[in-house]
Amino acid sequence: MLAVEMIAITKTFAEKVIANNSISLSVKKGEVHAIVGENGAGKSTLMNILYGMYPPDKGKIQINGNEEIINSPARAIQLKIGMVHQHFMLVPPLTVLENIILGSEPEKNLLLDFKKAKERVSQITSSFKIDVNLETKIENLPVGLQQRVEILKLLYRNAEILILDEPTAVLTPQETNELFNTIDFLKSEGKTIILITHKLNEVKAISDTITVLRHGKVVGVTGTENATIESIARLMVGEDKIYEEKKANIREKKLILEVKNVTVLNENSVEAVKDVSFEINSGEILGIAGVEGNGQHELVEAISSIRKPAKGKITLNNAELKEEHNIAHIPADRHRNGIVMDFSVAENLILGREKENLFKKDITIDESKVKTFAEKLVHEYDIRPVDIDIKIKSLSGGNQQKAVVAREITKNSDLIIASHPTRGLDIKAASFVHNALIKESDKGKAVLLVSSDLAELLKLSDRIAVIYNGQINVIFDADKTNEYELGLYMTGSKVKNE
Amino acid sequence: MNKVIYSILGPLAAIIIALFIGAIIISLIGKDPVEVYGVLFYGTLGNSYGIGQVLFKATPLIFTGLSVAFAFKAGLFNIGAEGQMIIGGFAAAWTGFTFVTLPWIILIPLTIIAAFVGGALWGFIAGYLKAKYGSHEVINTIMLNFIAAALASYLVNEIYGIPATIHTPEVSGSSFLLRFDAITGLFPGSPFNTSFLAAILCTIIFYFIINRTPFGYQIRTLGLNKNAAEYARMKIKKLVVLSMLISGGIAGIGSINFIFGYKHYYELGFSEGAGYIGIAVALIARNNPFAIIITAFFFGILEYGGLTINTMVPKELVTILQALLIILVITFVRIIDVLKIKFLKSA
């Protein structure tokens, strides 16, 4: 029995980009079906069509064997289809319970019937073995638990088909394990799960069937037991090989960044970073591992001279850090801090660099110089489409990130701060960013890499510091540790190195 | 090309609907809409005197439109163009009737600088309070409008005014801005004057600063994404203060049309709400400096058109028509936007 059948779905966007080119997808009832593909392969478009966000140009959708027209998420929910988006749709100041019932609150005499709501939700949490305190506010929950709330929202709405968009992107290994346990349990209860991802080891671990998309087309459908990670990767990326840069060993090392007993306050004047010290030498990549919200954000803002530390000293090339230091900084949230969506690609490529002599002509910004510079970067960093005048918001996330990376690392800065530089990127774009960072460190630059992706940290870093609760208690040599050990320190299960 | 069509379509539909509703109201009070509209159009666009009057009314609106748009580029909502224009106007008039011995080549630039500085000071106060204490510019500029009006009233009534009038002494003849009919013979009889040229120049400078300089780039970044501006280490507080200051200064210069080009003295209430209409002008023109000129011209038609028909219909009707138009234009610009997006999506 097929839970979902999408037949020959075609969707074209205004810029004549064919996002989905006659895609067919069959998802059996009660299976975990992984949809894998590069960014821009059409995964999200396909799922947004299934979830009623926009209509297909051509093609049919059948749910449980009946042809349906899904013209809104509300209709999708009626058909018991639910979706957990990559960016959670939760209201931080409200409690878990309030978030779960939001939009379909039980009423009694025009008032919210909290008692009934709580009964129903508790029943769901116990029957699906999803453990979360209903009275906690979302803003006080770690990301892994927030995600469970999203799943509970779907179950509360009686979803039978659950779409999870890149669910492990923000999770620690431990949290990922728990999510997979939940997915297994949901499956055993007869739910159908569609998983969008590009982490192939996870696909291998959790899914029953895999559909591989490339450039808007289905390039392979296979049972998971018949596939290897290599075979899926080859289908995903096509014939292009992924080139992996190897780190060279820099002989001459000189101290670039020194962070000494630094304490940083957050917006609420609470110590978010407590007495942290470390150094980075030229040619070295120092990784900072940690669950989000443990002080990384404040630490990075202090080192990039956006936020003044309350205590301690930061020196760059043996000089005290000043606002004028134009440090290369790839911010964690590119939409919020890295780009201006309504600016063109060219305008974004000079963000923060608009006063550089490179672009100067008398008192103006010389457009022809900007153009030359932007065109050079677009080619060197493979930013697509090759058009410096279109607004950056029409680029895919991977290409936006490439633009940020290009702009930042071409700055004349001995230190590069990269915060979650590959979050949400596909394999190709991620390896591109990795290679770029490695190249820069080989040139002798010092790199501070903050990430919650442990595989990334282990691959790139020379040393890895773990930040927990604003403190760095342990710094490993990258080749002498592993994901599991880092995970223990990240979650505070272990605090000091014994 | 399509873009231009879309940007004209909305306002055009709004005008037609507003005129239609206006026609219903005119009929309801027992007048003939065709006749009333005929007079309105002939009076404003049908002869060179009318066009001159329209341009005269449009001139200060270009300044206030630019003023609001400049602040808006930085993400700030300047409701204070009215007050800034009042303070700038008084400063300019004071300069004009105080330094009576200076030749025009010095006095005219000096009065314009005074107008800018007066308005800029008023804008600066709101900008400083915003940057330093985070107090909202909308509230502050509204309050500053009251203060400006009261202050000007005090200065005219108690200190500088000619007794039994609500205006100051006349400014020095060498500070007059000439009427076009005096120079060229065009637009005979209308007070349309050379301050219009200052408005055009100001528009070009606006465009140049915003689109060509690093400062303008920073302003635009701030307006579109404050967090990105912060991460690009722009000096946000300084930008906020400067953009409010410049915004205020532009509004201040808007006063010269009336003071030096028409009445030749400062008169209480001279601004006639130009600062507020400037908000609508900037909004409809979407902060595009060149579109502001066109939009201001359109509002000039409304302003002067009201005068041409006020013997036929009550003047309240004109006010209703104007307000209707503003609401409809703003609505239709949005509707056309939505339609455009839908159209592009389905195409």
Side-chain angles (χ1 to χ4, degrees):
Chain A
M1 166 104 172
L2 291 177
V4 175
E5 185 158 32
M6 299 177 83
I7 303 156
I9 299 287
T10 295
K11 178 74 188 172
T12 312
F13 287 102
E15 305 92 61
K16 297 187 175 56
V17 179
I18 303 179
N20 286 175
N21 190 350
S22 194
I23 291 184
S24 293
L25 173 75
S26 303
V27 182
K28 287 193 230 51
K29 194 166 164 47
E31 74 167 347
V32 177
H33 193 117
I35 299 179
V36 300
E38 298 271 62
N39 262 18
K43 300 172 298 206
S44 298
T45 306
L46 188 68
M47 287 304 108
N48 283 330
I49 289 171
L50 180 57
Y51 192 55
M53 306 279 275
Y54 29 73
D57 300 336
K58 281 182 213 149
K60 291 193 294 187
I61 302 175
Q62 294 185 354
I63 304 297
N64 299 321
N66 305 318
E67 187 167 335
E68 302 284 356
I69 290 170
I70 308 175
N71 48 17
S72 68
R75 178 71 190 136
I77 290 164
Q78 272 178 12
L79 294 168
K80 302 190 173 176
I81 302 171
M83 182 158 173
V84 176
H85 296 270
Q86 204 176 340
H87 297 284
F88 299 154
M89 311 276 179
L90 297 169
V91 187
L94 297 188
T95 66
V96 169
L97 180 65
E98 287 165 331
N99 266 283
I100 291 172
I101 63 172
L102 197 69
S104 49
E105 305 88 348
E107 277 178 19
K108 197 165 90 184
N109 308 328
L110 292 173
L111 293 174
L112 241 170
D113 190 351
F114 266 111
K115 199 168 149 243
K116 192 169 157 205
K118 198 167 178 180
E119 265 169 32
R120 266 211 65 197
V121 175
S122 310
Q123 194 195 336
I124 294 167
T125 53
S126 59
S127 64
F128 287 95
K129 299 189 176 153
I130 298 177
D131 198 19
V132 56
N133 182 353
L134 298 181
E135 301 305 330
T136 317
K137 286 185 178 172
I138 292 291
E139 59 199 3
N140 299 327
L141 282 185
V143 183
L145 285 177
Q146 291 187 16
Q147 189 174 52
R148 274 190 235 177
V149 177
E150 284 280 12
I151 293 173
L152 283 171
K153 264 166 74 178
L154 305 189
L155 296 173
Y156 179 77
R157 285 161 182 72
N158 302 314
E160 289 295 326
I161 300 162
L162 288 82
I163 307 168
L164 307 180
D165 188 2
E166 302 278 0
T168 62
V170 290
L171 303 184
T172 64
Q174 283 77 7
E175 286 173 326
T176 302
N177 271 336
E178 284 172 33
L179 173 69
F180 285 0
N181 289 338
T182 304
I183 291 179
D184 274 333
F185 190 78
L186 290 171
K187 187 174 121 182
S188 72
E189 293 287 298
K191 306 275 182 195
T192 307
I193 288 134
I194 303 177
L195 191 69
I196 305 178
T197 183
H198 56 248
K199 291 190 180 168
L200 300 182
N201 50 346
E202 294 176 359
V203 172
K204 190 75 185 137
I206 191 82
S207 71
D208 302 304
T209 313
I210 304 169
T211 296
V212 186
L213 302 186
R214 187 167 81 232
H215 298 320
K217 285 184 182 168
V218 177
V219 290
V221 181
T222 169
T224 306
E225 71 272 21
N226 305 323
T228 64
I229 290 181
E230 290 70 31
S231 68
I232 310 166
R234 218 173 303 121
L235 277 173
M236 256 173 80
V237 208
E239 294 313 308
D240 318 350
K241 279 214 183 89
I242 294 171
Y243 167 72
E244 289 279 334
E245 194 89 24
K246 285 275 177 296
K247 251 185 87 56
N249 264 321
I250 303 279
R251 275 141 303 196
E252 200 188 339
K253 285 195 174 161
K254 82 180 197 292
L255 182 64
I256 303 281
L257 177 75
E258 188 179 10
V259 175
K260 213 169 176 184
N261 305 111
V262 164
T263 294
V264 191
L265 307 182
N266 67 10
E267 280 74 15
N268 306 322
S269 300
V270 177
E271 288 186 359
V273 176
K274 298 165 196 159
D275 196 23
V276 160
S277 301
F278 60 85
E279 295 169 356
I280 313 180
N281 290 317
S282 59
E284 187 183 34
I285 300 182
L286 176 76
I288 304 250
V291 176
E292 230 163 297
N294 274 282
Q296 299 95 317
H297 175 70
E298 289 80 4
L299 179 64
V300 162
E301 287 201 339
I303 297 172
S304 53
S305 79
I306 292 162
R307 192 187 286 260
K308 265 202 152 17
K311 279 182 230 158
K313 209 166 118 187
I314 301 171
T315 54
L316 187 67
N317 289 323
N318 297 316
E320 190 156 350
L321 187 70
K322 281 204 260 334
E323 236 180 285
E324 288 73 39
H325 280 129
N326 201 0
I327 296 163
H329 179 193
I330 301 160
D333 187 340
R334 66 176 163 270
H335 288 168
R336 188 178 152 85
N337 301 115
I339 57 177
V340 179
M341 293 291 249
D342 282 313
F343 272 1
S344 71
V345 173
E347 282 175 310
N348 270 291
L349 285 172
I350 64 164
L351 182 64
R353 305 182 61 174
E354 66 280 352
K355 285 187 169 169
E356 282 183 20
N357 286 331
L358 187 59
F359 310 116
K360 210 169 179 171
K361 190 171 86 183
D362 308 320
I363 57 161
T364 66
I365 298 175
D366 187 338
E367 284 190 358
S368 67
K369 286 178 186 164
V370 171
K371 188 166 181 263
T372 316
F373 172 77
E375 276 170 355
K376 187 170 150 251
L377 258 52
V378 162
H379 284 110
E380 276 177 25
Y381 290 84
D382 192 33
I383 299 163
R384 288 183 213 187
V386 185
D387 181 354
I388 61 167
D389 293 320
I390 55 167
K391 287 192 176 170
I392 203 160
K393 66 179 171 194
S394 51
L395 266 57
S396 70
N399 283 302
Q400 290 172 349
Q401 186 72 348
K402 281 185 201 168
V404 174
V405 170
R407 176 185 75 215
E408 294 302 321
I409 69 182
T410 51
K411 266 183 189 171
N412 185 19
S413 163
D414 288 333
L415 172 68
I416 296 171
I417 303 170
S419 206
H420 305 276
T422 60
R423 179 188 286 165
L425 302 195
D426 58 61
I427 303 181
K428 242 193 210 163
S431 75
F432 188 95
V433 171
H434 287 164
N435 290 344
L437 289 174
I438 290 171
K439 257 189 228 163
E440 292 305 308
S441 94
D442 286 351
K443 280 188 211 159
K445 294 193 175 176
V447 178
L448 178 71
L449 174 67
V450 178
S451 181
S452 44
D453 179 348
L454 297 178
E456 169 173 270
L457 285 168
L458 286 163
K459 185 174 128 196
L460 296 186
S461 313
D462 298 290
R463 293 182 299 142
I464 299 174
V466 181
I467 191 165
Y468 173 71
N469 203 10
Q471 287 175 307
I472 290 180
N473 292 321
V474 52
I475 301 183
F476 296 103
D477 283 334
D479 49 12
K480 290 184 188 120
T481 183
N482 56 50
E483 289 196 20
Y484 194 76
E485 184 177 35
L486 291 172
L488 291 178
Y489 283 92
M490 277 164 67
T491 48
S493 312
K494 272 177 105 175
V495 178
K496 283 266 186 259
N497 205 0
E498 284 113 34
Chain B
M1 195 55 219
N2 261 337
K3 216 174 146 189
V4 177
I5 292 173
Y6 277 122
S7 58
I8 293 172
L9 217 58
L12 209 65
I15 291 168
I16 292 167
I17 293 177
L19 290 179
F20 183 72
I21 297 175
I24 293 173
I25 300 173
I26 294 168
S27 313
L28 283 176
I29 58 173
K31 300 279 154 107
D32 177 9
V34 178
E35 193 193 338
V36 172
Y37 284 151
V39 171
L40 191 147
F41 284 115
Y42 179 77
T44 52
L45 300 174
N47 61 81
S48 65
Y49 170 76
I51 294 174
Q53 283 286 4
V54 167
L55 285 165
F56 169 73
K57 293 282 184 191
T59 304
L61 300 181
I62 297 175
F63 284 106
T64 53
L66 290 174
S67 164
V68 175
F70 197 93
F72 212 84
K73 289 278 181 190
L76 298 164
F77 213 169
N78 180 15
I79 310 290
E82 184 77 10
Q84 291 146 9
M85 192 162 152
I86 289 171
I87 298 297
F90 193 87
W94 180 82
T95 310
F97 64 68
T98 303
F99 303 103
V100 285
T101 54
L102 292 174
W104 70 269
I105 186 97
I106 296 173
L107 190 56
I108 288 179
L110 202 63
T111 54
I112 293 177
I113 290 169
F116 181 88
V117 170
L121 170 73
W122 230 237
F124 167 83
I125 297 171
Y128 181 79
L129 292 173
K130 166 92 176 181
K132 184 86 178 174
Y133 305 106
S135 59
H136 205 287
E137 75 274 9
V138 167
I139 308 289
N140 287 337
T141 50
I142 291 173
M143 293 305 138
L144 283 163
N145 284 346
F146 291 130
I147 298 175
L151 183 63
S153 174
Y154 169 77
L155 289 171
V156 171
N157 288 328
E158 305 291 330
I159 303 177
Y160 294 104
I162 290 173
T165 71
I166 50 164
H167 61 79
T168 64
E170 194 164 274
V171 294
S172 160
S174 54
S175 67
F176 287 11
L177 295 171
L178 296 180
R179 291 181 177 200
F180 281 108
D181 66 351
I183 312 168
T184 63
L186 295 170
F187 315 107
S190 83
F192 179 44
N193 62 78
T194 48
S195 60
F196 181 75
L197 298 180
I200 300 296
L201 186 67
C202 197
T203 308
I204 295 167
I205 295 173
F206 177 110
Y207 177 83
F208 179 81
I209 291 179
I210 288 293
N211 291 293
R212 291 277 183 267
T213 67
F215 172 62
Y217 178 92
Q218 296 194 338
I219 297 248
R220 285 185 291 134
T221 306
L222 176 62
L224 291 170
N225 186 347
K226 189 180 170 200
N227 296 310
E230 190 189 0
Y231 266 52
R233 264 155 297 179
M234 294 173 186
K235 297 193 165 47
I236 290 174
K237 292 184 174 180
K238 193 174 132 193
L239 287 173
V240 166
V241 174
L242 275 177
S243 40
M244 279 306 285
L245 183 148
I246 294 171
S247 171
I250 300 170
I253 304 177
S255 65
I256 63 172
N257 180 57
F258 180 92
I259 296 171
F260 299 95
Y262 180 41
K263 286 286 178 81
H264 306 133
Y265 49 67
Y266 182 95
E267 185 178 68
L268 290 179
F270 81 96
S271 55
E272 293 183 305
Y276 297 112
I277 299 170
I279 299 168
V281 171
L283 214 59
I284 292 169
R286 299 177 166 204
N287 309 310
N288 177 313
F290 302 108
I292 282 173
I293 297 179
I294 298 166
T295 313
F297 180 78
F298 172 71
F299 275 88
I301 297 175
L302 289 183
E303 294 265 295
Y304 184 65
L307 295 175
T308 63
I309 55 171
N310 70 0
T311 52
M312 310 172 69
V313 292
K315 72 177 196 302
E316 285 78 10
L317 177 79
V318 180
T319 313
I320 290 172
L321 255 188
Q322 287 180 353
L324 263 178
L325 255 170
I326 296 174
I327 294 170
L328 284 167
V329 168
I330 291 168
T331 312
F332 268 80
V333 165
R334 291 276 160 247
I335 291 174
I336 294 290
D337 255 10
V338 173
L339 288 178
K340 181 172 75 180
I341 290 162
K342 282 204 172 150
F343 173 75
L344 286 175
K345 268 195 170 168
S346 61

